[in-house]
Amino acid sequence: MGAKRKLSRGDEKEMVKTPSADLVKAKKSRISSKKSKTCAEEGLVENDTVFVQLLKASGVTLKAGEKQNELAVDQVVFQKKLYQAFRKHPRFPNVIQEFVDGLESHIEDRDKFRNCLLPCGHSCDEEISNLVNPYHESLIKLLLGIEILQPAVINMLFEKLPEFLYDSVGSDGINLPRLIINQFKWLERIVDSKDLTSKIMQLLSIAPTEIQHDIITSLPEILEDSQHNDIARELNLLLQQNTQLTVPILDTLSSLNLNEGLLSEVRQSVMATLSAVELEDLPVIIKFILHVVTPVDVLEVISNLRKKLDLESCTLSERVQASQNKLKSRSTGTSLNRSSTVQDCITLLLDVIKSAVRFQKTISEAWIKVIDFIVLLILYTTNINNSKKQVERVLRNKIRMGYVTDQLLQNAFRNYSLVLREYFPSIMSLAQTLLRSADQSAISFGSLMHKHTFAAFDSYCQQEVVAALVTHVCSGYTAEVDMSLDVLMDLVSLHPTTVALYAVFVKGILDYMENLNPQQIRKVFCILSRLAFNKGHEGSHIQDDMYIVIRKQLSSSILTYKRIGIIGAVMIVGSMAMKSKPEREPSQKMHLSSEVYKQATALLELVRSCSEQSPEAAALYYDELASLVHKGSLDQQVMDWIGHTVLDDFQEDYVVDLTPTVEGHHLMPVKALYNLDEEDSLEGIVVNLLPLMSRDSLNKEAAKNMGQRLVSPVCLAPFFRLLRLCMEKQHNGNLEQIDALLGSPLYLTDLEVTEKLESLSKQEKEFLCSLLFFAINWFREIVNAFCKQQDPEMKGKVLTRLQNITWLQAVLVKCLAATPGYIPPLANFDSEALEGVPAVNTAIPTKKGKKGGKKGASDSSKNSSADSSQMEEHQEGEQTEASKTQTEKDSPRSEESGKSTISLHSYRAHLRELTLEVFTVLHCGLLTRSVLDTEMHTKATEVVQLGPVELVFLLDDLFQKLEHILLSSAKKVTFLKAKGGRTLGFSQLHQRSAQEVAYSTIQLLNPLCNHMENMHNYFQALLAENHGVVDALGIDLKEYHVMSSCYQLLLQILNILFAWNGFCQHENRKLLKSALGILDGRLKEGDLELTLDELVSQSFHYLLNFRSSVPSCTSALGLTQLLIVIAEKSSVQEYRGKIASLAKGFLCQTWIQPVGEREKGNRYNDTLQSLLCIYLEHTNDVLKAIEEISGIAVPELVNAAKEGNSSTFQTLTRQTFLVFFRVMMDKLEKTVRNIPAGKPSDFSEVQTEQLLLWNLAVRDFHILVNLVKVFDSRPVLSICLKYGRLFMETFLKMGMPLLDCCFKKHWEDVQSLLKTLQLSTRQLHHMCGHSKINQDMGLTTHVPLLKKTLELFVYRVKAMLTLNNCQEAFWLGNLKNRDLQGEEILSQVSQRSETDDEQGSQLHTEAAEEQEDREDNEDNETGEDNEESEEDST
């Protein structure tokens, strides 16, 4: 024999099909259809055995060595000849065994055995073109195709196979076990399939893993369908024993035809092995699970799958990490290659899920219900069945509920950035959609998606992220612009160098600046400045463009464009002159270079010179520069330059020496008022306000023409703010250098003139109003400046200034009411000039009071240098007005008096903003202030206290701020053009985050609780003194209303604070616990660390103690809402009953005003409606509560006097009945909507309970509907028609299926229910007739739908009777039209058959009733007694 040819392992597969070069030549000869030129005769196997002779006679020539066995005839011809040779042989059937013995002897040689397993070649003289099949099978395969030989050959092969299990690959590189297994594939018929299956499983039990792998993967091509289930069970057992065979077993099982039960069993086994498989096997396993899942089990399977894979956090479980470690230990490559391997495996896994989602609808729906972030991206990418919208909706809900967290997103991008890169378009689309969401948590998540995408992906993706954000900024929609700028700001802060590469995109925003508001302009210039002045030379081109834009805007005469230039220039200075932060040597001071210092100061000088001709522009410059100074990031050299310039200019422009007389011509007499320092002395300084106003109005045009710098009172407050902030920064918060301004007087006019406003000209009245605005704004900035000073004397002066503010605001309100059409001077300059102009032609009622004062009269007169007696007269006259405006909403008398007043809330743009630091004044208790005589000796000691009016002023301002900043984040974000007026007056507040505002408010909780306890004690003492009578003689009405306003504002502030949706975020949980801990500390002192639920419990009980002292229904609602908000912070449900009991107590209480009248009015009705809704929503049994009100309280009201009330629910009067009726009908309909629809499969106890609920609901409905006979006003009828239809529709949908199931078992209860409902539907029909006869369009709109519902009810009852074999109990009749009282409508008697042809059934109880019911039959009537008799006969 010739030498054996060696094959490499890589040629193994090829060897199966082309084992030798001769076969290649033979194939070539087949293609060319020519005879082979050479015939190799060497290597023939010749002997006289039956095996060799029969094969030779049938057309097979055996070869030895590397030569192929040759087949001279077609395969089918060979098998037929050999079969006939066996049948005709004289020793048949013994010859078969002889043949097999010869075969066994022949294959003892490995080379000969290999040749028998390899395809046969063609003989030299064979005409290939005449063959039916030019490709020949192996000799063994041909012999297995002969049925009489098959069992013996199979036995021989299985006996031979173990010889090669551990020596499978010979020197020729051919795997003999694999060749042997291949012989069993695709046999046309298996004689004994069970025996073959048994032999295969026996072989599997002893074979090594590699051979097991080959056997298992070949099973689908070997076995018949009848054996699939048996072999699947065996494989399932093997799978549980050896997880290394997981992949081949699953491949095989996927190809077998198995029943659903077995598939489910196998799937469960596979799911159990997930904790042991390696990462690289996961794609195959997941593919099998998703391939065999059924629609019934898909949701459960997906849920279990995501738990096993831990996809909730986008990280695989610990077993996968272990698998990754194995990969690392086996790998010889770098760590980068190992990471790529892991990423590739995960990519394959996600491709499997994507394929399943794309082609199996049930799987995509299940993944949407059981959501994971990466799978969401797959669903969003495939968009099967319009899944994009579903994905967006589900993701928003999951984010809102906290299931998809920021940490999850961070882990996904950190661990699987290569995987997520494939889904970049979907990530961007989803992120931009979330950025436009109405929910703040979704917006935050969308922002994080942008940031992580920028940080994790390549430069192309980073460029797309920046370009998308810039596109949003230029869209023009306020909310979208704000969110995109915030994201850009964060990117610049986190990745300044990287973002600088794409600065050309950001620079394009400069062309759209006129569409942005001031806060957005600040952000844009802040972003560009950071990029332009970043270390390096990348930003030089941005600097040039910014300088060009700013110079162009500053030189404009239009204030809008000048404003852009001012803001941009100040922001550039902030970045250019930013204080350096030494990294290694903190003691070493880092200074600006002289060049940068010159550039910064030159730019500030340019802004100053360009704005000095416009007071509004100059005031904006001062405010912007003050905000920059307040941040504390400016270099000390620049700070010194600003401070020196500001101090000199302010003293020169606005402060003069106090003199007895003021020279010059002024529109009104000049008088120095509000001097707190030296009451009888004329020495000192004074703020030159009124003369400056006169000079400004007279010489404005002349100064402009001469190019001189204008000194306007408009700049007074902004300039002082800049001055005091510079002093604070330079002297570490000490304001001693300017503390004289705290007590210095102002040049005003004698305010006695406000008593005779009608005698003043329009110019004088407008001048007086402007003077008051400037004075108030000056005092507001004074309070802002000195509120944090710790000196007791300064604290006392600050409180006095607060009194001055409240009293002047009361005077201002009176002047504004007498000056229609007046436009005040702006005090907030970062908005359009006309944005903040209120509608002043007509006075409007005040909503929240913050003017006037009880203490303001005496204190202001004492601290003023004017005649004290005159001041007392003015203040005494204004106190009533001030108190009225503060508490007007609590006093119905103010509505009846007809005296409208002005609300200063609409003038927010014209009043300087109070800072959050001002509210530290709430900490103040009793303070003493020393008054010095002319010889600097203490003359007297005065007690200065924060009075109720000043407290209302501060609380109202705090409430407005919290409502704006904390509630605005919870309100729906609109992408319509926003009105500028909404943010006016909150510029400084917007520079703080919601978290910072919440933290500052929490620091005020102790003083707020102190004040609320003082209010509680005040009203408790008031009731005790007057023996529980609120309207007793001697009560100070003004003080009562102010204290009531304080109480209400305190409750509202606490409500807004604890209702802030930021507490739902994990990072703010500690902040929430600190707030609740303060409330808990009001009850008891302790250092124990309490859980959140314990803190909620203690806080709830602390606030519940205030229920006995609330002075008004509005305050009662505020307390109830506050308790609800507190209870929502805990997962315990025990508070529902307490809240319901509290609300019920308030509803049962009489709310009497101090004037002796009940509370009334629309606001009171709205408050009452909210309380009743809270009661019914939190009570344990809504139906019982409705029955109590409608069945007990309302009859008490009917029997009471005309102005009387119910003795049980004392808030129920004839004026408030409509409120109670509407809420009860609404809650009744919503309650029955939540009763589950009856099912025949329900247990009897469940059906009985549901039937009982429907009986109670129908009884309540009957009581409510029949109240129309007593309270027949149009609103009551409208409510009854509307909710009556809704109730009947719900009964048809949810109640009738229950009656279908319960009729046979509970026919008496069903009969009672339908009888009660009959009375209600009859009354509804009467209301329809009443609406028609009165031709009331508002009522008749409800009639058609109600009629249709009543008709449907008739046929539905008939269907129920037919279903229960009681159809004879149903009959139809005509129904007369009647009015509300049941009287027949005579005008329609003759047209009865043409009008509403109503149908019903008749109750046959007595003969007398039969005739009456025939005349007065109802749509929804059933023959109940006939039903009973039918049931009996059945």
Side-chain angles (χ1 to χ4, degrees), residues 628-680:
L628 182 61
V629 170
H630 183 59
K631 293 178 182 178
S633 59
L634 281 180
D635 186 81
Q636 189 61 43
Q637 298 178 69
V638 179
M639 277 296 304
D640 292 340
W641 182 87
I642 295 174
H644 177 72
T645 307
V646 167
L647 183 59
D648 293 343
D649 289 347
F650 187 83
Q651 290 177 342
E652 179 182 349
D653 294 341
Y654 296 104
V655 179
V656 296
D657 292 330
L658 181 61
T659 58
T661 59
V662 180
E663 299 179 356
H665 175 71
H666 306 293
L667 189 61
M668 302 186 77
V670 179
K671 189 173 186 179
L673 300 179
Y674 302 110
N675 186 2
L676 303 185
D677 293 328
E678 300 173 5
E679 189 170 319
D680 299 329

Side-chain angles (χ1 to χ4, degrees), residues 940-991:
T941 299
E942 296 185 1
V943 177
V944 182
Q945 184 181 6
L946 183 64
V949 177
E950 292 74 39
L951 180 60
V952 168
F953 168 71
L954 290 175
L955 293 178
D956 182 68
D957 193 82
L958 178 61
F959 170 72
Q960 297 293 330
K961 284 180 166 57
L962 296 183
E963 186 180 40
H964 179 79
I965 199 71
L966 296 185
L967 282 191
S968 62
S969 60
K971 293 179 181 178
K972 185 174 182 180
V973 179
T974 175
F975 286 89
L976 300 175
K977 292 288 186 180
K979 294 183 179 179
R982 181 181 172 274
T983 58
L984 284 178
F986 297 113
S987 299
Q988 298 178 44
L989 186 67
H990 278 203
Q991 297 178 20

Side-chain angles (χ1 to χ4, degrees), residues 1183 1247-1257 1298:
L1183 299 178
Q1247 293 180 352
T1248 304
E1249 182 179 354
Q1250 292 177 354
L1251 187 61
L1252 177 61
L1253 289 176
W1254 272 111
N1255 267 304
L1256 293 174
L1298 176 66

Side-chain angles (χ1 to χ4, degrees), residues 426-468:
S426 297
I427 292 174
M428 285 301 299
S429 177
L430 200 54
Q432 293 178 55
T433 301
L434 292 176
L435 212 59
R436 299 188 184 100
S437 175
D439 184 66
Q440 192 63 35
S441 56
I443 295 171
S444 175
F445 196 84
S447 301
L448 283 175
M449 288 181 69
H450 280 92
K451 299 172 193 174
H452 289 307
T453 302
F454 185 88
F457 293 164
D458 52 33
S459 59
Y460 167 76
C461 298
Q462 292 173 343
Q463 174 181 312
E464 291 298 310
V465 170
V466 174

Side-chain angles (χ1 to χ4, degrees), residues 251-315:
D251 279 339
T252 300
L253 292 175
S254 300
S255 303
L256 298 181
N257 185 17
L258 308 178
N259 60 53
E260 291 187 3
L262 185 58
L263 271 179
S264 177
E265 182 181 344
V266 173
R267 187 185 66 240
Q268 293 175 4
S269 300
V270 173
M271 294 287 289
T273 63
L274 277 177
S275 57
V277 299
E278 296 186 352
L279 176 62
E280 55 267 29
D281 296 337
L282 269 181
V284 177
I285 297 173
I286 302 303
K287 181 179 180 181
F288 170 79
I289 293 174
L290 297 180
H291 177 71
V292 303
V293 69
T294 61
V296 178
D297 301 330
V298 62
L299 186 57
E300 179 185 358
V301 170
I302 298 298
S303 300
N304 292 333
L305 189 61
R306 68 188 289 270
K307 291 177 183 177
K308 297 285 185 179
L309 294 177
D310 196 15
L311 288 178
E312 185 175 13
S313 60
C314 293
T315 56

Side-chain angles (χ1 to χ4, degrees), residues 33-34 119 142 342 706 867 1068 1083 1098 1255 1342 1345 1362 1403:
S33 300
K34 294 181 180 180
L142 294 174
V342 174
M706 297 176 61
D867 187 285
N1068 295 324
L1083 283 179
Q1098 294 295 330
N1255 267 304
H1342 299 288
L1345 291 176
T1362 304
L1403 288 174

Side-chain angles (χ1 to χ4, degrees), residues 659-708:
T659 58
T661 59
V662 180
E663 299 179 356
H665 175 71
H666 306 293
L667 189 61
M668 302 186 77
V670 179
K671 189 173 186 179
L673 300 179
Y674 302 110
N675 186 2
L676 303 185
D677 293 328
E678 300 173 5
E679 189 170 319
D680 299 329
S681 174
L682 294 178
E683 297 179 0
I685 60 173
V686 63
V687 178
N688 193 28
L689 184 55
L690 191 147
L692 202 58
M693 284 183 61
S694 301
R695 191 188 317 156
D696 181 59
S697 60
L698 295 176
N699 302 327
K700 182 181 296 185
E701 294 299 327
K704 282 187 177 182
N705 295 333
M706 297 176 61
Q708 297 177 356

